[in-house]
Amino acid sequence: MIKSTVTTESELIRICRRDIADEVLSIARLSLLDWLGCVFAARATPVAKAWARALGADGEDALPNALSPTRMDPQGAALALGAFGNVLEMDDLHRASILHPGDTICAAALAVAMRRPTSGPALLAAIVRGYEIAIRIGTAVATGGYTPFYNSGTCGVFGAAMAAGDLKRLDQEQLADAIGQAGMQAAGIWQCRLEPGFSKQLATAHAARAGVLSAELGAAGFLAPRRILTGKMGFFKSYYPEADTTALTVPAPWAITMMSYKPFPACRHTHPAISAALALGAGLSEPLRQVDIHTYRAALDFCDNAAPDTPDQARFSLQHAVAIALQKGAPEIADFDPPAIQSPPLKTLRGLVRLHLDPECDAAFPRQYGARIVVTTADGRVRDATCPAAWGDPENPMSQPDLIAKFHRNAAHGGLPPAEARTISEAVLALPDAADLAGLTQALTKAFAPEQETARCR
């Protein structure tokens, strides 16, 4: 067995394993609930059906097997679940790290926790620790903004390994091996955003499964590099040579307390502009001449599409998202489907939108995502609104009732009856006081594999 010296990696593990206050565990249950809602909402999408076919799932639905402790092993469940969270662009976000941690960490944590004796607080603590390491690494690599690598995959794998390792009660040496093996599997490049397809979902699914595998390797004594992050041929030198590694071990509150949640089913870069448009008021009665959106460079790079043809393109269109907000109010999932995309009034309104780089917003990115909208009416009157922090950001948070309501909307979109969605929600919210996961497991099994629940109760 290799004996660890004090390294940045070992210090990072120590920081992630410190005691967690009850109020932080309470936040983690909302992150888990939010991610589950995103998963449920996506279950009938083309990417989910294709994923289910690839995994050999019956009925083009991967969730019954993934959410059953007896039908699939932890690695398989993490792989199945890890592809769903980002499909409809409603997953959580940590701004400074440009990272969606729930997609990988919640998938890995739930996959492991449902298949071994686990208390509710233990599951939540694993999620907190997984978020912590992924976000600290992500913040280090994102100091200059975007790179060619997809942080949710490349950094998320470390969070998945930490969460799985914590649930498997790995000691310091075993966890160091798990983190090292996670680094060997870090993957995900941004070409997937430049072409249509489902590869972004593959990146998060791979990271979730690789994290679980890494924890299993650590438990087995499968030795790994101990300077996987900071070594001369390690993660930072190889993937992110401009990383600011001081972010790795700086004292800070738990990262999960600084998450942004998405109230709208669109790329987060559209949300500041949506919030500004909503501040102007939906259903403007006067005819418009022009709509000017001023925002940061990354939002323009990702979301400049005046004529989207598909739901995925519409979710990455500032023009479409703002047109929806101005025309009817808060965007919903259906507002990014073909009937809305092809609506003549929306096409006309999208055509009035002009995008501009705002130097102040750009200088604040990635620690702050902001936008300003200026609306000019046909008779020359001007109205404007500025959004320095979109609804859902830590400075402008969604409340617990907001997040619960979002979960239920998403569950309904995924076909769950209200009673079953309510039972799952109640089980997740009760996790801080749950001695085991029986309530959550039974709720998920009843909703997605009812024949197994019936057999169990005979």
Side-chain angles (χ1 to χ4, degrees), residues 377-452:
T377 63
D379 60 6
R381 288 176 293 158
V382 175
R383 296 171 58 186
D384 69 276
T386 298
C387 176
W391 185 31
D393 281 343
E395 303 87 350
N396 185 16
M398 295 177 72
S399 66
Q400 179 170 314
D402 290 333
L403 289 168
I404 293 172
K406 175 188 171 184
F407 168 81
H408 284 285
R409 289 194 301 272
N410 283 341
H413 186 80
L416 264 70
E420 293 181 356
R422 184 169 57 253
T423 301
I424 293 170
S425 174
E426 290 172 351
V428 173
L429 294 175
L431 285 174
D433 299 313
D436 55 43
L437 299 189
L440 178 58
T441 300
Q442 290 170 10
L444 291 170
T445 302
K446 183 178 179 182
F448 292 96
E451 69 279 8
Q452 178 179 311

Side-chain angles (χ1 to χ4, degrees), residues 271-273 275-276 361 369-373 385-391 396:
H271 281 223
S275 291
C361 290
Y369 296 10
R372 180 170 64 94
I373 289 187
T386 298
C387 176
W391 185 31
N396 185 16

Side-chain angles (χ1 to χ4, degrees), residues 173-187:
E173 297 295 318
Q174 293 171 319
L175 194 52
D177 284 326
I179 297 304
Q181 303 300 4
M184 293 299 296
Q185 300 173 82

Side-chain angles (χ1 to χ4, degrees), residues 1 49 101 106 135 153 214 234 273 316 321 330 337 372 376 402 411 447:
M1 177 70 69
K49 291 182 177 181
C106 289
I135 288 170
S214 297
F316 283 83
D337 287 341
R372 180 170 64 94
T376 305
D402 290 333

Side-chain angles (χ1 to χ4, degrees), residues 135-351:
I135 288 170
R136 282 177 176 266
I137 295 171
T139 301
V141 306
T143 51
Y146 280 96
T147 74
F149 291 99
Y150 178 38
N151 293 358
S152 295
T154 56
C155 303
V157 68
F158 295 102
M162 173 64 75
D166 196 61
L167 287 165
K168 291 174 74 67
R169 300 180 179 89
L170 302 191
D171 63 26
Q172 181 78 13
E173 297 295 318
Q174 293 171 319
L175 194 52
D177 284 326
I179 297 304
Q181 303 300 4
M184 293 299 296
Q185 300 173 82
I189 53 177
W190 261 129
Q191 184 64 24
C192 64
R193 80 174 177 87
L194 302 180
E195 301 181 42
F198 305 150
S199 294
K200 191 165 74 165
Q201 285 74 51
L202 173 62
T204 52
H206 165 75
R209 179 179 66 174
V212 175
L213 171 60
S214 297
E216 293 173 351
L217 292 171
F222 200 86
L223 303 181
R226 297 305 173 86
R227 295 185 182 271
I228 195 68
L229 295 172
T230 59
K232 66 180 182 180
M233 297 183 71
F235 180 74
F236 293 126
K237 292 289 187 182
S238 301
Y239 287 45
Y240 300 95
E242 303 302 318
D244 178 6
T245 58
T246 59
L248 290 173
T249 56
V250 66
W254 286 103
I256 201 169
T257 65
M258 296 301 294
M259 295 304 301
S260 294
Y261 298 94
K262 295 181 184 177
F264 315 121
C267 175
R268 186 62 182 180
H269 295 316
T270 68
H271 281 223
I274 293 172
S275 291
L278 293 175
L280 290 174
L284 295 171
S285 57
E286 59 267 45
L288 301 182
R289 178 192 301 170
Q290 187 163 311
V291 178
D292 292 283
I293 302 174
H294 303 261
T295 189
Y296 49 95
R297 171 63 63 190
L300 304 181
D301 289 344
F302 272 72
C303 299
D304 181 3
N305 190 341
D309 293 321
T310 67
D312 283 342
Q313 291 179 7
R315 284 188 280 269
F316 283 83
S317 169
L318 276 162
Q319 294 92 335
H320 183 78
V322 168
I324 289 287
L326 291 174
Q327 183 188 73
K328 67 169 285 282
E332 302 174 57
I333 294 174
D335 294 320
F336 298 88
D337 287 341
I341 296 170
Q342 296 159 9
S343 163
L346 268 177
K347 285 185 176 181
T348 299
L349 189 49
R350 286 198 306 257

